[in-house]
Amino acid sequence: MQAMGEGELIGALDARVKRREERRAFFGQALGAAALGGAMLTAGRAGAQTATPTPTPSPTATSTTPIFGTSDYLNFALNLEYLEANFYAFATTGAAIASTLQGGVVTAGVQGAATGGRAVSFTDPIVAQYAREIAADELAHVTFLRSSIGSLTVAQPAIDLSPAGAFTTAARAAGVVGASDTFDPYASDENFLLASFLFEDVGVTAYKSTTAVLSSTLREAAQGILATEAYHAAMIRGTLYRKGIETPSLNLIQKAQGISDLRDLYDGSVTENLTLGYAPDDDQGITPTTNAAGETVSNIVPLNSNGLAFSRTGDRVLNILYLNRAAVTSGGFFPAGVNGAIKTSATAT
């Protein structure tokens, strides 16, 4: 038998998922009918002893939860990679990613451009090196996911990376700048780090949730991307913390806390699950704490009380990237929305 390519494998897995859900629906109906028949038989026997009429059973509710397949989850991840890859590409080269990495299935969403970015004139050589490393990694993620998804790949959506657009909207709401000020992520090393901080923690929580639902040979690959994003987040958080401690007047620790609080506000509150990593407060800044001995403890790695990283479902990730607490399909960094089946944010509570 000829081996299937990754794109064909994803298609086969998607079909399997849909068949499985159809079987569940069939057996649910069959079991409901069997239960009804059993109830009628029991009632018939009881009728010899009592005249109480048999109540009419309530109809079984039909689930309206959408069924997503492997390609849907990977395409959702690809949208996040389009965002990050373009941001870092602009910051390090002054240009967006290559046009050959932007096309996709037109029925899943219109192809758009990443606009508004420019190169950062880095003054700290270490930050510049970090930026170039992350840029290369994010570009590799885009290339890998597009190759893995194959013919079902979604196109890059329109992405707003301009200082006057989504970045300033978020920065004002987080108290990073004043209500009438503009936040330019390309103006300094520190602004670049704060903008990166806005994205990186979201990527970690998104991949943690996504890898849990994948049921294919690509799960381990997705876990590899999760680990990479976690390394990136630690690099950004650690650098912001160091600079914030060294130069308190920059207020980097306070600004990072404001961004963290904003993300937590946008994605709402969910029921806590300490095993899966879901929590009403699923975001942490880099504000240091103290231990029982009164010693200062950094907070480079945001974790719950079990020492586990947090998770966010796709719709709550979109609340942050759309900069909206409502259930919407576009906004913020994606003015026309992300492409693919997973594109609606949650109603934050």
Side-chain angles (χ1 to χ4, degrees), residues 212-256:
V213 297
L214 292 178
S215 57
S216 76
T217 56
L218 288 172
R219 173 185 290 176
E220 190 165 352
Q223 289 171 337
I225 299 179
L226 164 61
T228 304
E229 296 294 345
Y231 281 126
H232 292 170
M235 289 166 63
I236 298 300
R237 292 173 69 94
T239 306
L240 278 170
Y241 183 70
R242 174 179 60 82
K243 285 180 171 288
I245 294 296
E246 292 175 347
T247 313
S249 61
L250 293 174
N251 292 318
L252 292 178
I253 294 176
Q254 294 85 347
K255 290 176 179 179

Side-chain angles (χ1 to χ4, degrees), residues 139-223:
L139 187 62
H141 291 169
V142 170
T143 303
F144 171 74
L145 285 173
R146 287 174 57 86
S147 174
S148 298
I149 300 168
S151 61
L152 299 176
T153 299
V154 297
Q156 173 185 288
I159 300 173
D160 175 19
L161 294 172
S162 64
F167 276 121
T168 288
T169 300
R172 289 176 179 174
V176 173
V177 297
S180 60
D181 295 330
T182 297
F183 175 76
D184 186 348
Y186 314 102
S188 67
D189 294 30
E190 291 73 28
N191 281 11
F192 164 77
L193 289 168
L194 288 169
S196 301
F197 175 74
L198 173 60
F199 294 146
E200 290 298 340
D201 281 13
V202 177
V204 173
T205 58
Y207 269 106
K208 185 166 181 290
S209 176
T210 298
T211 57
V213 297
L214 292 178
S215 57
S216 76
T217 56
L218 288 172
R219 173 185 290 176
E220 190 165 352
Q223 289 171 337

Side-chain angles (χ1 to χ4, degrees), residues 254-277:
Q254 294 85 347
K255 290 176 179 179
Q257 185 62 54
I259 293 172
S260 173
D261 291 343
L262 181 68
R263 290 188 304 224
D264 203 34
L265 173 67
Y266 276 136
D267 73 0
S269 179
V270 298
T271 301
E272 186 171 51
N273 186 316
L274 291 174
T275 300
L276 299 181

Side-chain angles (χ1 to χ4, degrees), residues 45-179:
R45 290 172 177 168
Q49 302 174 4
T50 177
T52 303
T54 303
T56 302
S58 301
T60 302
T62 302
S63 174
T64 58
T65 303
I67 300 172
F68 296 126
T70 300
S71 63
D72 297 323
Y73 291 113
L74 294 182
N75 272 319
F76 176 72
L78 179 57
N79 279 279
L80 307 186
E81 297 297 346
Y82 282 140
L83 173 65
E84 291 185 316
N86 277 288
F87 170 65
Y88 289 111
F90 271 122
T92 56
T93 71
I97 65 174
S99 59
T100 54
L101 294 175
Q102 299 179 20
V105 182
V106 295
T107 55
V110 177
Q111 181 177 339
T115 58
R118 72 173 192 276
V120 177
S121 296
F122 293 104
T123 58
D124 185 333
I126 301 301
V127 175
Q129 291 169 28
Y130 286 167
R132 288 191 288 269
E133 179 181 0
I134 297 175
D137 294 343
E138 302 298 359
L139 187 62
H141 291 169
V142 170
T143 303
F144 171 74
L145 285 173
R146 287 174 57 86
S147 174
S148 298
I149 300 168
S151 61
L152 299 176
T153 299
V154 297
Q156 173 185 288
I159 300 173
D160 175 19
L161 294 172
S162 64
F167 276 121
T168 288
T169 300
R172 289 176 179 174
V176 173
V177 297

